Amino acid sequence: MTPNPTAETARILVEGLAQRFPSPGEGGVLTVFSDIWFTVAPGEFVCLIGHSGCGKTTLLNILAGLERADEGTVIVSGQEVTGTSLDRAVVFQSHALMPWMTVMDNIAFAVTSKWPKWSKADRQKHCQKFIDLVHLTGSENKKPSQLSGGMKQRVGIARAMAIEPQIMLLDEPFSALDALTRGSLQDELLAICAHTEQTVFMITHDIDEAILLADKIVLMTNGPEARVCEIVRNPLPRDRTRHDMHKHDDYYPIRNHLIEFLVNRSVSFKEELSSPDYDPRHPPVVEPRAGAAPAVRVTA
Amino acid sequence: MSLSLRARALIVSITLFFVFVAAWQLSLSTGPGLPEGVDPEYAALMGATAKGASAMPGPLTVGEQIWEHIADPFYDAGPNDKGIGIQLGFSILRVAVGFAFAVLIALPLGFLIGMSPLFYRALDPFIQIMKPVSPLAWMPLALYTIKDSTISSVFVIFICSIWPMLTNTAFGVASVRREWLNVAKTLEVGQLRTAFRVILPAAAPTILTGMRISVGIAWLVIVAAEMLVGGTGIGYFVWNEWNNLSITNVIAAIFFIGLIGMVLDLLLAWLLKLVTYEE
Ligand SMILES: Nc1ncnc2c1ncn2[C@@H]1O[C@H](COP(=O)(O)OP(=O)(O)OP(=O)(O)O)[C@@H](O)[C@H]1O
Ligand SMILES: [Mg+2]
């Protein structure tokens, strides 16, 4: 098991983030989340799970540099995030393709931003590589309206990958898709990430998706005033696949642990908060394994 | 019922046309020489009408007249006698120049207003007050300050075309989807490139809809403006023929005004279709 990365080795350091919005109710302030601390190591695949409205998209936008947090900082590769960067690519919750551009143009728009001086032929070749990578060969000149939902998401992923970022930030990229399409896209993403050793931060609602993809799962409690409740290390071997992972001994322990969290603990976490053991700077790290109940608690 | 909807509509259109022409012809041949209740003195003033022969031409006369105009549209026999092609050309030119200036002002200003919530609110009261003013109300002011009737009519076209374009551009730019702007932002795309590659294409359908409304209004207004200032143009032609009591020519002119208006609208509709995207 890799130890928790330190300030020097971490790719992403999230330190004490809080975000507030004005609200029409009494008090006039809605604290979406506060005191959020966690880290992402280089090459690590981290999933964020939490109920709808707990502030996942807000958190991802802060990591991307699209929004500023009211408190706290995000440090990426040793530098504080003050705005957006081509080193961090975002795949949006709703694919966010430009409907007036073809598949090729959508990706070329991103590629030109990263390498403005490239010749047209070079750009075309580079785009084609990523179109092929997400299996959209033949659809280069189609407009997004001519594509299915799954194909649109794949264009969004190709657009993000094409700028060869250090970090990919994905906001529920597959949640609007049917189970079959979702499964094949998960496989594709897993293959691409294994190949590129990409650092990935991904939001999801889907427990099986998190178990399949993530090295580490960050659990967020319900808003308002959401916190990081716990960090779960995935006990399954990294070469797991969608077809065989449920046969693994540790599959049900982690799955049950996550379900237990979503059903009960995300709501009742307020009690755990008051316990003296809970330190928001070092949320408990657990690794649920077969035969060891309750889950092994690993000190960070 | 094997005919397509389009073919059936065409048959109905043609039938309606002939019914209309027949009714027109019939109403002339059976109409009374002097309608009841008309002051005989007024009738005397009206000349031909009073003698029992109607000044209202029949459809055939008008048809012949239209054909004459089409056969020789560009003759020029002095200030009061020019071919209808020349008169229409003057009007189209004025509309084109006034409209072009309006585009030059409305597009950049609309962009600014649309992108800045501050300007959106600050300029809103002015736009709301100016928009409902009939453009002809500007005519005396224009004549007084510009002192040139042609430029004044162009100015009136400018002022009436600018509002729909300005409000539509501002609205289109302001309502560009946030996620597209976020995409540009995460890719560190510069402001100018974002404006031309993201905001402009995203807002283009709304902007062109504004232009289409503007052209329609401009074509309505130019006829009235030229009636006022005189000299040349289809509006002047109509007024001149009314003074000549040539109802035939007035009706022919109405036909041509409608025809050009339709062509202008089709042109803008075609442009609109070019920039419309499907989501
Ligand atoms: N610009 C804003 N102004 C006011 N409130 C906002 C704003 N953006 C988000 N919120 C609020 O912050 C909370 C979190 O929103 P967010 O979109 O981050 O949720 P989420 O966890 O991504 O939900 P979902 O899973 O449904 O996507 C919500 O209660 C939302 O109403
Ligand atoms: Mg969200």
Side-chain angles (χ1 to χ4, degrees), chain B residues 42-53 245:
Chain B
Y42 174 74
L45 273 172
M46 295 303 287
T49 319
K51 293 185 191 93
L245 277 182

Side-chain angles (χ1 to χ4, degrees), chain A residues 84 86 94 97 99-100 113, chain B residues 179-180 185 187-188 193 197 201:
Chain A
T84 57
L86 282 160
S94 53
L97 300 177
W100 55 89
S113 312
Chain B
E179 55 193 49
W180 295 332
K185 224 166 136 191
L187 292 171
E188 297 193 81
R193 193 156 167 259
R197 291 294 311 272

